[in-house]
Amino acid sequence: MTCRRLCLLGFLFLLGCSRLDHLGKAPSFTPQEQSPERLAMAYSGIPTVALPERRTDRASLWSRERGSLLGDRRAMKRGDILTVVIEIDDEASISNSTSRSRSGSESLSVPQLLGIPQRIDEDLPLGATMADAVDLGGQSASGGDGQVARSEELTLRVAATITDVMPNGVLAIEGAQEVRVNFELRELLVSGFVRPEDITRQNEITYDKIASAKISYGGRGQISDMQQPRYGQQVLDMILPF
């Protein structure tokens, strides 16, 4: 029993660790030392093609380098940064209704059957009779009504980093943005895969051109804690069958 209590206390302690971070203070920013964006910038990888260096590349305005006058400054390799434009304005409405009803009744009465019921009644306890031998009844009803109405509008811009270049040339990107106001930290996370040709000359890409896009906009802090039910209530909601 003691071991179970210790395990339960340890489990509850782990559940509350996320809230201990901002106990009496503003929530802490996510450390950047081991973030995927920083690792991609620090270790950009070995280029697949090594072009010979010419003396004129550093002095000419018309060289093939990205820093030249007409160079392509779009994000292309691991560690480069591009801007993700998120403009979501969606509306959806779904409504359905179902109704089902069923009723049944069965009755069997044998008041006189060659005098057999009367003879049986003599052996039955006082008040019992075979006049109404069988009487069955049943009734059931079922109804359902469901409605879903959703409206989303979100306009954001976030800088993302190319974390990997796939063998087919597709770029894997990840971006994070954190804004702390008083004791509330707002987080914006975006990740997915983009094609280099979809990146505009302004080094931007819209969210609808990101494959496997994962966009999260939320936060943590004292206000978010008040909007969430306690862990015990969430556990009971999962295990209670009614």
Side-chain angles (χ1 to χ4, degrees):
M1 183 62 67
T2 304
C3 182
R4 292 182 179 179
R5 291 180 179 178
L6 292 177
C7 293
L8 180 59
L9 291 176
F11 176 71
L12 295 176
F13 176 77
L14 292 176
L15 290 177
C17 285
S18 60
R19 293 183 176 176
L20 293 177
D21 174 69
H22 49 270
L23 182 61
K25 63 182 183 69
S28 303
F29 287 104
T30 303
Q32 296 183 350
E33 286 74 12
Q34 298 298 325
S35 64
E37 296 91 342
R38 186 180 186 278
L39 293 177
M41 296 177 190
Y43 308 101
S44 58
I46 301 175
T48 56
V49 178
L51 299 176
E53 183 177 358
R54 300 175 299 183
R55 295 182 179 180
T56 57
D57 289 342
R58 299 181 180 273
S60 176
L61 297 177
W62 314 99
S63 67
R64 61 193 176 191
E65 299 295 331
R66 299 177 62 185
S68 64
L69 183 61
L70 299 178
D72 190 359
R73 293 178 175 84
R74 294 180 299 173
M76 291 295 175
K77 65 180 188 301
R78 190 170 189 261
D80 289 349
I81 298 175
L82 72 159
T83 302
V84 178
V85 181
I86 304 172
E87 294 180 352
I88 301 176
D89 189 3
D90 296 335
E91 289 187 5
S93 179
I94 302 174
S95 178
N96 56 56
S97 177
T98 59
S99 177
R100 185 181 64 179
S101 178
R102 180 177 62 183
S103 63
S105 178
E106 297 290 341
S107 179
L108 176 63
S109 178
V110 284
Q112 295 181 0
L113 182 62
L114 302 177
I116 295 177
Q118 287 77 9
R119 293 182 178 274
I120 297 177
D121 289 344
E122 296 177 355
D123 299 330
L124 294 178
L126 183 63
T129 179
M130 283 291 294
D132 297 327
V134 180
D135 189 3
L136 300 177
Q139 184 177 1
S140 65
S142 176
D145 189 6
Q147 184 174 1
V148 176
R150 186 184 67 187
S151 178
E152 298 175 348
E153 184 175 356
L154 186 64
T155 302
L156 296 169
R157 299 170 68 90
V158 59
T161 304
I162 297 177
T163 57
D164 194 12
V165 179
M166 309 304 291
N168 60 349
V170 175
L171 310 176
I173 64 171
E174 289 190 25
Q177 185 182 89
E178 296 182 352
V179 180
R180 188 172 63 191
V181 180
N182 295 334
F183 288 86
E184 189 71 13
L185 185 68
R186 310 305 296 172
E187 297 176 318
L188 173 61
L189 306 175
V190 60
S191 63
F193 302 91
V194 301
R195 299 188 307 171
E197 52 268 27
D198 290 334
I199 303 176
T200 64
R201 298 292 296 181
Q202 290 76 27
N203 200 32
E204 296 179 350
I205 189 168
T206 56
Y207 81 99
D208 56 337
K209 292 182 175 62
I210 302 177
S212 299
K214 304 294 187 300
I215 301 174
S216 173
Y217 183 68
R220 62 179 187 270
Q222 296 180 355
I223 298 178
S224 299
D225 290 346
M226 291 296 100
Q227 293 177 341
Q228 297 294 328
R230 295 297 181 181
Y231 293 119
Q233 182 179 352
Q234 296 181 24
V235 173
L236 291 178
D237 291 339
M238 290 188 298
I239 63 177
L240 289 179
F242 50 84

